[in-house]
């Protein structure tokens, strides 16, 4: 845009503007504006995608925490069950000894 404005300023300072030069500059400005509008739309779209990604990252983080909690609870349950099985086996052994004795 700066270059186009400089060209316009230079052409106005000249005594005789060349035919069609102003319309070419205007067309270039319109073209640049369209490109700028497309880039702005793309930036907005990317901003929305970025926001969605941040929301999804928070969901993933929460699910990871939930999974870690469940793993911890499963390990505790496994330990409790292993202890209960061991104690049951010991009780069975002592019952067998009592019957034999």
């Amino acid at each position: 845009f700066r270059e186009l404005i400089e060209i316009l300023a230079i052409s106005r300072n000249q005594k005789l503007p060349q035919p069609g030069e102003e319309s070419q500059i205007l067309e270039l400005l319109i073209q640049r504006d369209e490109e700028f509008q497309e880039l702005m739309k793309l930036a907005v779209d990317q901003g929305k995608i970025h926001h969605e990604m941040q929301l999804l990252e928070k969901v993933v983080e929460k699910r990871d925490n939930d999974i870690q909690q469940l793993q911890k609870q499963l390990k505790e349950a496994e330990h409790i069950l292993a202890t209960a099985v061991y104690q049951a086996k010991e009780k069975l052994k002592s019952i067998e000894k009592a019957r034999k004795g």
Side-chain angles (χ1 to χ4, degrees):
F1 284 116
R2 185 183 304 152
E3 290 174 24
L4 293 173
I5 292 172
E6 288 174 2
I7 292 171
L8 273 174
I10 291 171
S11 70
R12 288 201 175 174
N13 289 337
Q14 294 174 350
K15 301 250 178 181
L16 299 170
Q18 296 181 6
E21 185 176 333
E22 289 181 356
S23 64
Q24 287 177 342
I25 292 172
L26 185 59
E27 287 176 27
L28 282 173
L29 278 172
I30 292 170
Q31 180 184 353
R32 295 286 186 212
D33 183 60
E34 289 172 358
E35 290 172 2
F36 179 74
Q37 295 301 323
E38 288 178 22
L39 287 174
M40 287 301 294
K41 183 182 175 198
L42 179 62
V44 168
D45 291 343
Q46 287 180 346
K48 288 177 184 177
I49 291 170
H50 180 70
H51 181 68
E52 289 177 24
M53 286 176 59
Q54 287 178 327
L55 293 176
L56 289 173
E57 285 174 356
K58 287 180 182 178
V59 170
V60 167
E61 186 177 330
K62 184 182 180 332
R63 297 292 160 90
D64 282 346
N65 289 336
D66 292 346
I67 289 170
Q68 288 175 358
Q69 283 297 109
L70 288 172
Q71 286 177 330
K72 183 179 176 183
Q73 291 172 357
L74 283 172
K75 285 187 180 189
E76 289 174 5
E78 179 186 23
H79 178 69
I80 291 169
L81 286 173
T83 302
V85 167
Y86 175 77
Q87 289 174 349
K89 285 182 180 178
E90 291 299 313
K91 206 165 235 186
L92 284 174
K93 285 181 185 176
S94 65
I95 290 173
E96 279 185 37
K97 279 185 184 178
R99 284 183 184 172
K100 289 181 182 178

